[in-house]
Amino acid sequence: MQLNNPALLQHQSFIDGQWCDASNGEVFAVKNPATGDVIAEVADLGADETTRAIAAAEAARADWSAYTGKERSALLRRWFDLIIEAQDDLAVLMTSEQGKPVNEARGEVLYGASFVEWFAEEAKRVYGDIIPPHGRDKRLLVLKQPIGVAAAITPWNFPIAMITRKVAPALAAGCPVVIKPSELTPLSALALAQLAQEAGFPQGVFNVVTSTNAPAVGKVLCADSRVRKLSFTGSTPVGKLLAEQCASNVKKVSLELGGNAPFIVFDDADLDAAISGVIASKFRNAGQTCVCTNRIFVHEAVYDAFAEKLKTAVHALAVGNGFDEGVAIGPLIDDRALHKVESLVKDALDNGATLLSGGERFESVTNGYRPTILSNVDNAMRIAQEEIFGPVATLIPFTEEADVVQMANDTPFGLAAYFYSRDIGRVWRVSEALEYGMVGINEGIISTEVAPFGGIKESGLGREGSKYGIDDYVEIKYLCMGVN
Ligand SMILES: NC(=O)c1ccc[n+]([C@@H]2O[C@H](COP(=O)([O-])OP(=O)(O)OC[C@H]3O[C@@H](n4cnc5c(N)ncnc54)[C@H](O)[C@@H]3O)[C@@H](O)[C@H]2O)c1
Ligand SMILES: O=C[C@H](O)CS(=O)(=O)O
């Protein structure tokens, strides 16, 4: 792997300002999903080292919380600048371990950095309140104080942005962090640690524990009462488990979980705009995105025209290794993901769906699956009820607005939803009726650091980014002052 700055390729965990091996010397392999090649071996830590990381963070907590918002802001800004400078290297690391096309990886670096930039600014604006008192002899105030040591457990699909979206507000609020990245993409997390060290964060403020034993590490993070906040991004089943584990010490929890996004094309939609939107929403990161379109509902009056346009657009998506010029669809993360997608497609076809395009692997890379379109899908099929997490578009016809909203809401998930219509009355009716945390209206890409990202129902708790994001990392304290 050729990097401009070789120091960004780290193989050890980062605890208490030091790079460290596992106590037992164990390591695990990191593979390139496009080739199956081992690209690195990384320290495989366990429960004891996790406790050590928590202790380091707790030891740093008092001093870090005593930094002014302006001082924390300066360090975050420096970290942001270093991330931007390292964009090319970070993209190479990401495509090597996660597989996404390198241009998408470059885009994710900028997206991830945007949270650091945003919370470098928010750090200076953690305001409290002065409350008009209920008595002449009292003065009432509200302080916002850092919650304490924050743990972050993050997924493989956005190896940089899912970390910075948690760690930037935590650090801005005055919380030291212990990060447990996915074992599939540890290199991006360790590169962020290298840059945080270069930025000058104090010893113990920024810790990364790499491990293949996520359950053991998670149990320690959940059970240790010195960890006052756990922020998780990943699958809904794991999120539920972590929330249960945190209940033992009433730990504050934020959850960014799975999705099942509907994409509704009404008969008054701009079909070309809808095609652009669905291509962006469905096939980004080969469909391995929590806010990816999972079901495409198309009004019967425009169904055939939309299907034809979609076939043309999908045929233009080049597949291959993420490092190859012009590739839009890279590999899935591993063979387990590939088999899941194949199983969902087979089940849909066995139950009456029809194949319009794709439906097979592409052999130029390991774990490659062609962008696929299934027609005449039913909302009750597995592929419409489960998160596909692959490049498969499912077309579901509808006629009535009320029926399609009911079908769109017929899922335990509630992360993102999308619809295309140019009828202002319909836009308001459908926006308010959809049971989702985020709704794209005539837009297929909605994620930004300036807006609250998060879901309802079984898609999560809390919001990341925006003016709301720092609230997950502070505690509100009410002061009642007698002034006799
Ligand atoms: N809502 C969002 O913002 C968002 C963003 C990205 C991914 N996701 C979701 O994440 C899922 C894909 O990511 P994934 O495959 O990494 O999810 P995952 O739940 O398998 O793993 C996520 C993280 O949790 C860790 N983990 C797994 N089991 C654990 C346990 N028992 N205890 C503690 N930690 C454990 C993993 O090592 C990883 O670091 C999809 O469902 C996707 O929708 C959601
Ligand atoms: O996969 C989940 C990410 O949150 C996707 S996004 O880049 O934030 O839209």
Side-chain angles (χ1 to χ4, degrees), residues 130-152:
I130 301 286
I131 299 173
H134 55 296
R136 295 182 185 182
D137 59 346
K138 296 181 177 55
R139 296 297 179 268
L140 312 184
L141 304 92
V142 171
L143 301 182
K144 284 186 179 179
Q145 296 181 304
I147 196 166
V149 171

Side-chain angles (χ1 to χ4, degrees), residues 29-84:
V30 182
K31 293 184 180 178
N32 180 331
T35 63
D37 296 340
V38 175
I39 57 176
E41 290 191 334
V42 169
D44 197 353
L45 277 60
D48 292 346
E49 297 98 322
T50 304
T51 300
R52 191 157 62 80
I54 295 169
E58 177 61 16
R61 177 171 62 86
D63 285 350
W64 183 238
S65 64
Y67 273 57
T68 65
K70 193 168 182 177
E71 290 168 328
R72 291 196 287 263
S73 172
L75 284 166
L76 283 162
R77 182 71 209 193
R78 179 66 185 136
W79 190 34
F80 166 75
D81 292 339
L82 290 169
I83 292 169
I84 294 299

